[in-house]
Amino acid sequence: GQNIDQPTEMTATEGAIVQINCTYQTSGFNGLFWYQQHAGEAPTFLSYNVLDGLEEKGRFSSFLSRSKGYSYLLLKELQMKDSASYLCAVGDSNYQLIWGAGTKLIIKP
Amino acid sequence: DAGITQSPRHKVTETGTPVTLRCHQTENHRYMYWYRQDPGHGLRLIHYSYGVKDTDKGEVSDGYSVSRSKTEDFLLTLESATSSQTSVYFCAIRSSGGAAISYEQYFGPGTRLTVT
């Protein structure tokens, strides 16, 4: 079967760092994606990892370990506008995206 | 901005009526997708298209049909709406060609459908 797990909800403080984990078991693997979704809006693309290691984009970084079926999204210097849901998705053997249920991130002042 | 629009943005309909949602793109992308999003679930693929008149089923296709007669338009039809189809529906396109090294998807603004 195909399964993607991520925590349902996390809380962090403005200015701090938070790590959102994602574990996956899929029938194929063609990369891992992270999306951000603000309440009432569409998901927006954040990052893509296909090789092991860390990809950094400003305040956001994404890490992948294919052998462990594991990824994380690291958000630094948290701002109130980072309050959103973060969706993990895996590209399967047909390049379709299999989605996790998302992690709701709450930022407190 | 991937140039994707959806219409209508909100709709309330009655059980048993047919409903058609429209997705329109302006950038000539080959792949288009219809998803539904419900609390506690990830995005679930309903149908997708890989070209004009070329479509295939996703994991939750029962009760839905699609059509793509032009590159820019992808229609989703609920043949006889049921309360279980109350959801937010997103259309997406897949990046392709050029210098793209990945195949991320870009989403339209969504349609909130309520079936009473």
Side-chain angles (χ1 to χ4, degrees):
Chain A
Q2 313 215 82
N3 196 46
I4 298 179
D5 287 319
Q6 46 181 135
T8 302
E9 187 175 295
M10 299 181 69
T11 302
T13 304
E14 189 177 15
I17 299 172
V18 71
Q19 177 176 311
I20 302 174
N21 295 326
C22 172
T23 58
Y24 63 89
Q25 289 180 305
T26 57
S27 57
F29 183 82
N30 276 304
L32 188 138
F33 299 80
W34 284 97
Y35 281 75
Q36 181 189 60
Q37 185 176 24
H38 286 102
E41 298 183 6
T44 56
F45 171 68
L46 286 178
S47 67
Y48 169 69
N49 294 68
V50 66
L51 300 176
D52 290 351
L54 189 68
E55 295 277 345
E56 296 186 78
K57 269 190 191 180
R59 295 189 298 114
F60 291 10
S61 302
S62 56
F63 171 84
L64 175 66
S65 168
R66 289 173 296 171
S67 62
K68 295 182 179 178
Y70 168 69
S71 173
Y72 67 73
L73 181 69
L74 191 71
L75 291 72
K76 303 176 185 176
E77 301 170 11
L78 286 169
Q79 303 175 9
M80 297 304 292
K81 68 179 182 180
D82 298 329
S83 292
S85 290
Y86 291 86
L87 314 181
C88 172
V90 171
D92 70 9
S93 54
N94 295 316
Y95 295 91
Q96 306 291 9
L97 298 189
I98 311 300
W99 296 82
T103 299
K104 183 178 181 180
L105 178 63
I106 299 168
I107 309 296
K108 295 187 174 179
Chain B
D1 182 4
I4 309 168
T5 57
Q6 293 184 231
S7 59
R9 294 292 314 278
H10 301 271
K11 186 168 182 68
V12 179
T13 192
E14 293 185 349
T15 298
T17 60
V19 177
T20 295
L21 308 183
R22 180 183 184 237
C23 178
H24 179 79
Q25 57 139 333
T26 60
E27 298 187 2
N28 208 35
H29 292 284
R30 179 182 170 194
Y31 286 85
M32 298 184 75
Y33 303 83
W34 276 108
Y35 291 95
R36 61 179 290 174
Q37 187 175 41
D38 304 288
H41 293 272
L43 288 159
R44 291 183 288 175
L45 182 64
I46 305 171
H47 282 278
Y48 67 98
S49 170
Y50 46 95
V52 173
K53 298 187 180 178
D54 291 324
T55 65
D56 207 348
K57 295 178 180 180
E59 64 172 309
V60 291
S61 59
D62 287 349
Y64 302 94
S65 62
V66 290
S67 67
R68 192 167 178 201
S69 58
K70 298 185 290 185
T71 299
E72 58 266 35
D73 288 325
F74 191 30
L75 304 181
L76 176 71
T77 297
L78 288 65
E79 293 140 11
S80 177
T82 67
S83 58
S84 65
Q85 294 176 311
T86 292
S87 187
V88 178
Y89 291 85
F90 286 104
C91 172
I93 60 91
R94 180 173 124 183
S95 69
S96 59
I101 59 171
S102 67
Y103 52 100
E104 67 269 18
Q105 295 179 14
Y106 294 93
F107 288 81
T111 294
R112 185 171 295 275
L113 177 68
T114 302
V115 183
T116 61

